[in-house]
């Protein structure tokens, strides 16, 4: 899955990645928009920036994200 | 999602319920409880001062000690303990006018503000810019971001992705408005620093003069800390200066904003690399009590192909852009291949073109649509004549006599999506070809170069080779050492680094004050509730997003002049009027529901309100259908929807957008307002069956009552005595 | 009409407004709304001296209530069991159509809740076997509440008394 700017995504699960912090648990289930994907090389391992509806902008590992169809 | 709950709001609801159930039957206690309830409601609406807490506690103490019943005394005790346990939440409501839970509608930040990593109060500054009050706009922005000018030119603007107006047509040009405000304020010499707190004597060392480090320096200096910034390069700005090319961000912009930080007494030491030019031990000796590592990600990934290390004409994009930024304006070569599809690749390509390279080609493994670079950057590069070669994988760099002559590539096809849904570029066998170039600029990613930090022994690194830090407090595993920016996130954005710098400044301050560090993300702070622009619905709907004028293409290709020329006052005035003021309208949809489902009128078509499934928005339809009953306004929890009588008209407006305007009618007897004809027609239609005669009668409620009363009175001559 | 009838004996009323205050305080109402109102007429010269009169204006609880017809939400409703017209605050959205529809100005606006309030003949008190609030506080006992056959025939009685009185004087 490559993420692109402006895509709607869902935080559909917790990530097992070390960069997942405990406060992020409450974000599971929220929807948001990709605001800064890995802007260099579509690295599946890079952290991508997601702006969550009503809950701010954060960087997440990609395995917790899935694209929402419009 | 469950309904949000807020401790302040909850206490208010609980107290009201107790009162309604008659728990406070004695007048004295009832009075105290009523007053507490009023104070709580003011806290929830952002109307309270800090002495509200004292006032609540005083009355609660009275209830707890002098309450007439055990129940009253219990209630007093509960109020005291609730306030004490949640003091921070109460103070947040009072000091920052913010309720992070979203349960207090008056204190819910707008989606753009929530989206801004730095948490800028965007609706407030947009309004100020639209009023031409640029210096006040800058004051609002700099409460959360000391680089409004930089961010007004190069921010990735997550705010615009979340802008609710985008669900109608296009987002408000939030970033460009910020750039204009900064330019105007600076030009008028009205760009000013707030008054810093008195010196508190603590010495902080910040390593790296990029956006993260300097933001922390700014907020720490304002709090009275003695800040020293140590920078390896001869210039300040970090990647803003040496990564972003000048045609996007002029050097003067950075210099001016850094000068503002210097004015606060922050000391800068340039050409000083920690671990090389100065040791950590020496810094300790100088008496620094806390460190902030903001070293960025200035290392480059390698292509891992033959020939990469053999020629001086293979130069990484980071090194190339640094060289140019420091004044070397020789063209890198005549025929340049830039490898990568991100923003840095575009920057390197456009810079090469401007330095005089004749042919610049970007080689990218995937397709145009998959390029991670920002769309506008790609478009501008295409306009300037940058060539693109997609589905192209570099294999080998060829050269003769120590000079690059060509790059060998293989064409690729996208695979079928794999288990994770990714389509990978797969090399097509035998499709190798050579592209004649004399320079190769790899731009395939940056990494943190942590050399020199070995002395911070307890600090941990992630598997991504970034500094491990708590992203709420920016603490590392080493005591007194904090870290921010690309060094923590990997290559990221300017505004994220700024956000990190601000968080770090808060955390360092909390460290010195002995406060515990936050466990949850800090909600952004509302800086005001500005008056609405009064705009007719048709204008609100039809105002198109301002188009940024661009420098002519001929000049773009040969100079480093700024490409985006900036807005003017009139454009800004109009753009500010496109804002839907989501800091006031929280898009709860009650107005739409009531008008459609309860009143059956369906005069509000506000499809933009839904994030997941935005529907059609038609601001003009309201004037055709609305009867001006006012139920929408009555039920609006924030005062976004308002119905007022002005100049003989009844006007319905949403955040200043005039949705409907109907002529008022007046009482035949006393002249009082009785509402517009369309409203009465609606009622008449409903009661026609049972009251065919009434139509045409225009008397106000009071007169109707008086008249009826009069008819019921028997005024007889006095009886005989 | 509801199955009840509220009779106001204007001869005995002194215009003290206790009924109005009791009505407001029962519903815990802020400044503004008066579900029941005492309308003062006069003072004006009637015959040889000035005279004042008072008309108590609760809701008449119409048989064919216009407010109920006008209400688009169903908040305004006529109780089938006793014909009392009540407004359900959970359903009322504050469109005020009932207020404009009522020829007597009976439904009133509560600015604190953004909903309509009205005289509901204190149906909750009736269900507990009590009298409406206004009736219980009247110091001159000029308000009578009950089914029509329970209402004392005050006017007839008074007429009879006046006749007797006249007769006595003539003697």
């Amino acid at each position: 899955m490559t993420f692109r700017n402006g895509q709607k995504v869902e935080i559909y699960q917790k990530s097992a990645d070390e960069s997942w912090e405990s406060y992020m648990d409450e974000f599971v289930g929220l929807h948001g928009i990709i605001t800064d994907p890995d802007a260099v090389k579509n690295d599946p391992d890079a952290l991508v920036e997601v702006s969550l509806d009503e809950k701010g902008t954060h960087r997440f590992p990609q395995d917790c994200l899935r694209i929402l169809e419009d | 999602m469950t309904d949000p709950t807020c401790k302040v709001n909850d206490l208010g609801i609980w107290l009201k319920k107790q009162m309604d159930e008659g728990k406070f039957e004695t007048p004295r206690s009832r009075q105290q409880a009523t007053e507490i309830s009023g104070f709580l409601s003011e806290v929830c609406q952002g109307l309270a001062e800090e002495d509200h807490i004292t006032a609540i506690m005083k009355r609660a103490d009275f209830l707890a000690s002098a309450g007439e019943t055990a129940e009253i005394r219990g209630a007093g005790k509960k109020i005291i303990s609730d306030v004490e346990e949640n003091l921070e939440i109460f103070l947040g409501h009072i000091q920052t006018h913010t309720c992070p839970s979203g349960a207090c509608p008056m204190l819910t930040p707008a989606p753009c503000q929530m989206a801004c990593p730095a948490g800028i109060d965007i609706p407030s500054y947009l309004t100020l810019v639209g009023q031409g009050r640029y210096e006040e706009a800058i004051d609002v922005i700099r409460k959360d971001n000391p680089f409004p000018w930089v961010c007004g030119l190069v921010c990735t603007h997550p705010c615009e992705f979340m802008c609710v107006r985008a669900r109608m047509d296009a987002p408000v040009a939030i970033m460009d408005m910020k750039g204009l405000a900064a330019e105007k304020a600076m030009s008028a010499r009205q760009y000013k620093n707030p008054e810093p707190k008195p010196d508190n004597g603590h010495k902080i060392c910040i390593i790296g003069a990029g956006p993260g480090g300097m933001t922390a320096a700014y907020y720490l200096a304002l709090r009275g800390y003695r800040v020293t910034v140590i920078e390896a390069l001869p210039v300040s700005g970090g990647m803003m200066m040496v990564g972003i090319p000048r045609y996007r961000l002029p050097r003067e912009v950075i210099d001016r904003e850094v000068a503002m930080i210097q004015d606060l007494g922050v000391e800068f030491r340039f050409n000083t690399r920690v671990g090389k030019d100065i040791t950590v031990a020496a810094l300790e000796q100088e008496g620094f009590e806390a460190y902030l590592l903001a070293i960025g990600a200035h290392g480059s990934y390698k292509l891992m192909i033959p020939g990469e290390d053999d020629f001086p004409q293979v130069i990484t994009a980071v090194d190339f852009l640094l060289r140019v930024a420091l004044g070397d304006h020789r063209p890198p070569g005549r025929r340049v291949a830039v490898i990568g599809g991100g923003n840095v690749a575009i920057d390197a390509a456009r810079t090469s073109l401007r330095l005089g390279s004749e042919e610049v080609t970007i080689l990218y493994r995937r397709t145009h649509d998959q390029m991670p670079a920002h769309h506008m950057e790609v478009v501008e590069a295409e306009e300037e004549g940058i060539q693109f070669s997609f589905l192209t994988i570099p294999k080998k760099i060829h050269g003769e006599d120590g000079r690059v002559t060509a790059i060998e590539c293989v064409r690729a096809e996208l695979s079928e999506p794999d288990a994770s849904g990714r389509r990978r570029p797969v090399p097509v066998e035998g499709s190798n070809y050579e592209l004649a170039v004399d320079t190769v600029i790899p731009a395939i990613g940056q990494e943190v170069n942590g050399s020199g930090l070995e002395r911070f022994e307890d600090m941990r690194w992630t598997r991504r080779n970034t500094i491990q830090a708590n992203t709420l407090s920016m603490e590392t595993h080493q005591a007194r050492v904090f870290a921010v920016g690309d060094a923590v996130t990997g290559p990221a954005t300017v505004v994220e680094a700024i956000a990190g710098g601000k968080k770090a400044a808060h955390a360092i301050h909390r460290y010195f004050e002995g406060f515990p560090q936050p466990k949850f993300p800090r909600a952004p702070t509302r800086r005001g509730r500005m008056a609405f622009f009064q705009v007719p619905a048709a204008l609100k709907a039809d105002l198109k997003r301002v188009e940024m004028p661009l420098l002519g293409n001929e000049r773009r290709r040969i100079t480093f002049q700024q490409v985006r020329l900036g807005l003017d006052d009139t454009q800004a005035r109009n753009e500010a009027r496109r804002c839907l003021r989501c800091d006031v309208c929280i898009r709860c949809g009650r107005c739409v529901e009531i008008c459609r489902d309860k009143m059956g009128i369906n005069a509000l078509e506000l499809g933009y309100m839904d994030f997941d499934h935005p529907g059609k928005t038609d601001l003009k339809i309201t004037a055709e259908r609305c009867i001006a009953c006012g139920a929408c306004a009555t039920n609006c929890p924030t005062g976004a929807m308002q119905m007022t009588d002005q100049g003989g008209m009844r006007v319905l407006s949403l955040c200043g957008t005039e949705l409907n305007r109907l002529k008022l009618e007046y009482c035949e007897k006393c002249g009082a307002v009785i509402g517009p004809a369309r409203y009465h027609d609606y009622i008449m239609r409903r009661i026609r069956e049972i009251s065919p005669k009434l139509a045409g009668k225009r008397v106000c409620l009071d007169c109707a009552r008086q008249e009826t009363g009069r008819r019921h009175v028997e005024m007889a001559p006095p009886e005989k005595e | 009409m509801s199955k009840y009838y509220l009779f106001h004996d204007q001869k005995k009323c002194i215009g003290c407004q206790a009924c109005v205050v009791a009505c407001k305080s029962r519903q815990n109402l802020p400044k503004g709304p008066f579900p029941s109102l005492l309308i003062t007429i006069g003072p004006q010269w009637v015959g040889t001296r000035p005279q004042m009169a008072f008309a108590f204006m609760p809701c008449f609880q119409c048989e064919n209530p216009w407010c109920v017809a006008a209400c688009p939400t169903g908040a305004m409703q006529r109780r089938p069991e006793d014909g009392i017209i009540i407004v359900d605050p959970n359903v009322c959205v504050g469109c005020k159509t009932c207020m404009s529809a009522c020829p007597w100005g009976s439904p009133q606006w509560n600015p604190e809740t953004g909903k309509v309030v009205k005289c509901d003949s204190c149906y909750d008190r009736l269900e507990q076997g009590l009298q409406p609030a206004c009736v219980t506080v009247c110091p001159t006992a000029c308000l009578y509440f009950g089914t029509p056959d329970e209402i004392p025939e005050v006017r007839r009685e008074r007429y009879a008394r006046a006749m007797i009185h006249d007769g006595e004087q003539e003697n």
Side-chain angles (χ1 to χ4, degrees):
Chain A
M1 188 98 48
T2 39
F3 294 102
R4 302 193 43 224
N5 251 338
Q7 272 175 331
K8 270 191 190 163
V9 292
E10 180 186 5
I11 311 283
Y12 79 104
Q13 61 176 18
K14 287 190 205 178
S15 167
D17 191 275
E18 60 181 342
S19 63
W20 182 270
E21 295 188 45
S22 60
Y23 70 85
M24 296 174 173
D25 289 356
E26 65 169 294
F27 295 156
V28 174
L30 296 184
H31 294 178
I33 292 178
I34 300 273
T35 47
D36 190 47
D38 160 38
V40 179
K41 54 177 183 150
N42 291 325
D43 179 358
D45 201 32
L47 304 176
V48 300
E49 188 192 62
V50 179
S51 201
L52 296 174
D53 188 24
E54 312 277 333
K55 289 289 175 198
T57 300
H58 310 269
R59 271 197 189 262
F60 293 101
Q62 296 178 28
D63 62 344
C64 68
L65 302 174
R66 74 172 161 215
I67 295 170
L68 292 172
E69 301 304 325
D70 269 332
Chain B
M1 246 174 57
T2 50
D3 275 344
T5 59
C6 153
K7 295 289 178 195
V8 187
N9 200 24
D10 285 354
L11 182 59
I13 292 170
W14 177 84
L15 182 60
K16 271 227 171 71
K17 192 161 164 266
Q18 302 296 305
M19 287 163 66
D20 287 348
E21 287 172 2
K23 301 277 166 65
F24 296 89
E25 60 228 338
T26 53
R28 207 168 53 150
S29 293
R30 190 173 179 84
Q31 178 63 23
Q32 302 287 320
T34 309
E35 285 177 15
I36 294 175
S37 172
F39 290 140
L40 286 172
S41 143
E42 282 170 0
V43 173
C44 287
Q45 292 177 65
L47 304 170
E49 305 282 340
E50 264 169 62
D51 47 17
H52 269 64
I53 298 206
T54 327
I56 290 170
M57 291 304 250
K58 199 176 132 201
R59 285 159 182 78
D61 273 336
F62 174 87
L63 293 178
S65 55
E68 290 83 352
T69 66
E71 240 171 353
I72 294 175
R73 291 189 293 276
K77 284 183 195 129
K78 178 191 157 60
I79 294 166
I80 294 170
S81 71
D82 270 27
V83 175
E84 278 172 350
E85 276 165 31
N86 303 294
L87 194 57
E88 270 209 46
I89 298 173
F90 276 77
L91 286 173
H93 280 64
I94 292 168
Q95 292 164 344
T96 70
H97 297 168
T98 306
C99 173
S101 75
C104 299
M106 299 295 271
L107 304 183
T108 307
C112 50
Q113 185 177 9
M114 286 301 294
C116 177
I120 301 173
D121 184 348
I122 292 164
S124 292
Y125 91 70
L126 285 181
T127 306
L128 288 165
V129 171
Q131 294 172 342
R133 293 155 71 187
Y134 302 114
E135 61 274 15
E136 289 169 72
I138 288 301
D139 289 344
V140 166
I141 297 167
R142 290 184 96 232
K143 291 210 162 97
D144 297 294
N145 178 343
F147 289 101
W149 205 356
V150 169
C151 284
L153 301 181
V154 299
C155 188
T156 48
H157 48 71
C159 52
E160 293 189 27
F161 286 97
M162 296 304 276
C163 176
V164 177
R165 178 85 199 207
R167 304 176 206 161
M168 269 174 72
D169 48 10
V172 176
I174 298 169
M175 178 182 83
D176 299 335
M177 297 283 275
K178 184 159 50 226
L180 173 79
E183 187 181 306
K184 290 277 184 184
M186 192 65 89
S187 173
R189 299 186 186 280
Q190 294 297 324
Y191 187 120
K192 291 181 178 145
N193 276 331
E195 196 57 39
K197 296 242 164 67
D199 181 7
N200 64 23
H202 293 299
K203 288 181 75 176
I204 316 286
C205 179
I206 294 176
I207 299 166
M214 287 195 291
T215 298
Y218 174 77
Y219 290 111
L220 286 169
L222 284 181
R223 287 190 191 274
Y225 290 88
R226 298 181 186 174
V227 184
T228 301
V229 180
I230 293 181
E231 169 59 53
L233 294 170
V235 291
S236 56
M239 274 295 185
M240 301 190 295
M241 187 67 94
V242 301
I244 300 174
R246 292 292 75 83
Y247 58 87
R248 285 174 57 201
L249 179 60
R251 174 171 182 158
E252 296 74 18
V253 172
I254 305 169
D255 286 344
R256 284 292 194 124
E257 294 200 316
V258 174
M260 298 301 295
I261 296 169
Q262 259 171 326
D263 276 354
L264 290 171
V266 174
E267 183 201 344
F268 285 81
R269 293 184 204 164
F270 296 110
N271 295 308
T272 309
R273 183 177 288 277
V274 171
K276 190 174 142 225
D277 303 308
I278 191 165
T279 61
V280 175
L283 293 171
E284 281 286 280
Q285 283 226 303
E286 279 193 53
F288 289 113
E289 297 164 76
Y291 297 86
L292 177 63
L293 309 180
I295 57 169
H298 292 257
S300 296
Y301 285 130
K302 297 188 68 168
L303 289 169
M304 312 300 274
I305 59 172
E308 185 179 9
D309 297 323
D310 302 343
F311 307 99
Q313 295 83 19
V314 181
I315 175 172
T316 65
V318 170
D319 289 341
F320 168 61
L321 291 170
L322 168 70
R323 203 184 78 189
V324 177
L326 294 181
D328 182 351
H329 277 205
R330 288 172 299 166
R334 289 175 56 214
R335 295 165 61 86
V336 178
V338 178
I339 299 161
N343 286 327
V344 180
I346 305 275
D347 286 344
R350 295 176 75 185
T351 298
S352 301
L353 192 77
R354 282 161 172 77
L355 291 171
S357 299
E358 288 160 24
E359 209 174 290
V360 182
T361 311
I362 288 178
L363 311 181
Y364 180 51
R365 302 157 63 89
R366 299 165 196 265
T367 60
H368 183 280
D369 287 349
Q370 289 172 305
M371 279 180 61
H374 290 144
H375 179 69
M376 266 314 289
E377 303 286 325
V378 178
V379 171
E380 287 175 17
E382 283 169 340
E383 285 169 2
E384 289 166 14
I386 305 285
Q387 309 282 312
F388 287 84
S389 176
F390 296 108
L391 291 166
T392 303
I393 302 174
K395 277 288 170 201
K396 187 176 177 188
I397 295 167
H398 295 276
E400 276 169 28
D401 308 328
R403 298 191 63 83
V404 170
T405 54
I407 181 162
E408 183 183 332
C409 304
V410 59
R411 279 201 300 279
E413 284 173 349
L414 287 186
S415 69
E416 290 304 307
D418 65 11
S420 74
R422 284 174 78 87
R423 301 185 67 189
R424 292 168 197 286
V426 182
V428 179
E429 286 232 6
S431 68
N432 295 39
Y433 66 100
E434 285 186 16
L435 183 70
V437 295
D438 54 27
T439 305
V440 176
I441 303 180
I444 56 159
Q446 291 136 254
E447 58 179 349
V448 181
N449 176 1
S451 63
L453 301 181
E454 295 80 4
R455 279 294 300 275
F456 297 111
E457 287 151 1
D458 295 341
M459 205 169 72
R460 289 187 206 161
W461 292 77
T462 68
R463 61 183 183 83
R464 294 183 178 85
N465 194 31
T466 54
I467 299 173
Q468 199 167 75
N470 174 315
T471 54
L472 298 176
S473 65
M474 311 320 288
E475 295 165 292
T476 68
H477 283 270
Q478 176 137 12
R480 300 189 292 128
V481 178
F482 301 76
V484 290
D486 287 358
V488 172
T489 53
T493 64
V494 171
V495 69
E496 278 175 279
I498 289 170
K502 198 172 67 164
K503 279 191 273 188
H506 281 299
I508 291 171
H509 182 61
R510 294 175 82 92
Y511 163 74
F512 281 108
E513 296 284 311
F515 296 150
Q517 297 294 355
K519 296 280 172 286
F520 295 97
R522 228 179 118 92
T525 304
R526 294 169 60 114
R527 305 293 178 185
R529 186 184 162 108
M530 309 297 297
F532 302 130
F533 290 114
Q534 302 299 321
V535 185
L539 180 62
K540 189 81 167 188
D542 293 344
L543 272 172
K544 291 275 166 291
R545 180 184 161 108
V546 63
E547 267 189 52
M548 173 62 74
L550 302 180
L551 186 70
N553 205 8
E554 286 76 16
R555 199 174 292 177
R556 257 158 64 182
R557 291 158 51 91
I558 54 171
T559 73
F560 279 85
Q561 282 183 32
Q562 219 177 320
V563 172
R564 299 165 68 82
L565 295 174
L567 306 180
D568 64 29
D569 300 52
T570 315
Q571 287 171 316
R573 239 185 124 259
N574 287 333
E575 192 63 16
R577 281 159 178 77
R578 293 183 68 239
C579 174
L580 297 173
R581 291 302 302 273
C582 307
D583 61 326
V584 180
C585 172
I586 56 168
R587 301 160 313 289
C588 65
R590 281 173 80 178
C591 52
V592 177
E593 252 171 57
I594 283 173
C595 188
R596 182 189 57 211
D597 304 339
K598 306 280 185 176
M599 298 299 299
I601 291 170
N602 202 14
L604 293 171
E605 197 158 283
L606 305 174
Y608 67 76
M609 288 191 167
D610 196 281
F611 175 80
D612 278 327
H613 306 286
K616 192 181 163 222
T617 296
D618 186 348
L619 299 178
K620 299 176 206 171
I621 204 165
T622 309
E624 292 170 20
R625 298 182 181 169
C626 164
I627 60 166
C629 71
C632 52
T634 298
N635 289 278
C636 177
T638 65
M641 189 71 85
Q642 290 179 0
M643 203 170 74
T644 52
D645 292 345
Q646 40 183 280
M649 308 294 271
R650 181 155 286 180
V651 177
L652 180 75
S653 62
L654 174 59
C655 296
T657 304
E658 191 181 295
L659 298 174
N660 192 18
R661 165 179 281 265
L662 293 175
K663 194 166 171 292
L664 284 171
E665 307 224 324
Y666 301 92
C667 173
E668 287 167 8
K669 286 195 168 349
C670 72
V673 167
I674 54 169
R678 200 192 279 176
Y679 178 60
H680 290 284
D681 293 347
Y682 171 83
I683 296 167
M684 287 312 148
R685 270 201 307 282
R686 294 191 66 87
I687 62 174
R688 196 182 319 155
E689 302 271 296
I690 53 172
S691 154
K693 283 188 296 187
L694 196 76
K697 185 164 163 266
R698 289 283 187 268
V699 183
C700 75
L701 312 181
D702 285 344
C703 288
R705 228 176 187 187
Q706 290 289 339
E707 205 183 328
T708 316
R710 231 167 261 281
R711 279 206 303 275
H712 277 69
V713 166
E714 313 145 24
M715 209 58 111
E719 292 165 18
K720 286 182 199 156
E721 281 164 26
Chain C
M1 292 294 286
S2 73
K3 77 176 200 191
Y4 300 107
Y5 176 64
L6 190 141
F7 173 64
H8 176 217
D9 183 356
Q10 295 178 356
K11 280 278 180 296
K12 281 159 79 178
C13 181
I14 56 171
C16 72
Q17 308 274 358
C19 46
V20 173
V21 172
C23 175
K24 279 195 75 146
S25 80
R26 168 191 162 253
Q27 296 206 51
N28 198 17
L29 296 177
K31 188 164 176 276
F34 286 99
S36 64
L37 191 66
L38 196 68
I39 289 174
T40 308
I41 316 290
Q44 64 190 59
W45 287 95
V46 179
T48 56
R49 50 179 160 165
Q51 206 181 18
M52 271 171 96
F54 309 97
F56 186 60
M57 296 279 298
C59 172
F60 299 141
Q61 319 288 3
C62 307
E63 187 73 36
N64 247 331
W66 299 359
C67 56
V68 173
C71 176
T73 66
M76 190 68 81
Q77 36 193 279
R78 190 164 189 268
R79 282 159 56 99
E81 59 269 42
D82 52 19
I84 294 175
I85 295 152
I86 60 164
V87 54
D88 180 348
N90 297 317
V91 183
C92 175
V93 298
C95 72
K96 303 188 188 176
T97 47
C98 54
M99 293 168 58
S100 285
C102 174
W104 334 116
S106 197
Q108 294 278 304
W109 184 245
N110 183 343
E112 234 171 41
T113 57
K115 293 173 192 302
V116 160
V117 284
K118 71 180 287 296
C119 162
D120 52 12
S121 298
C122 294
Y123 71 91
D124 53 338
R125 292 176 57 87
L126 301 183
E127 281 165 4
Q128 296 168 43
L130 300 168
Q131 289 272 296
C134 52
V135 174
T136 55
V137 297
C138 181
T140 66
C142 71
L143 291 171
Y144 301 88
F145 185 85
T147 52
D149 50 312
E150 289 167 4
I151 297 291
E153 303 246 352
V154 180
R155 278 177 260 207
R156 206 180 305 161
E157 280 173 23
R158 185 176 297 135
Y159 179 74
R161 266 206 309 272
M163 293 299 288
I164 295 162
H165 183 76
D166 281 356
E168 279 169 359
Q169 282 212 335
E170 271 163 29
N171 282 342

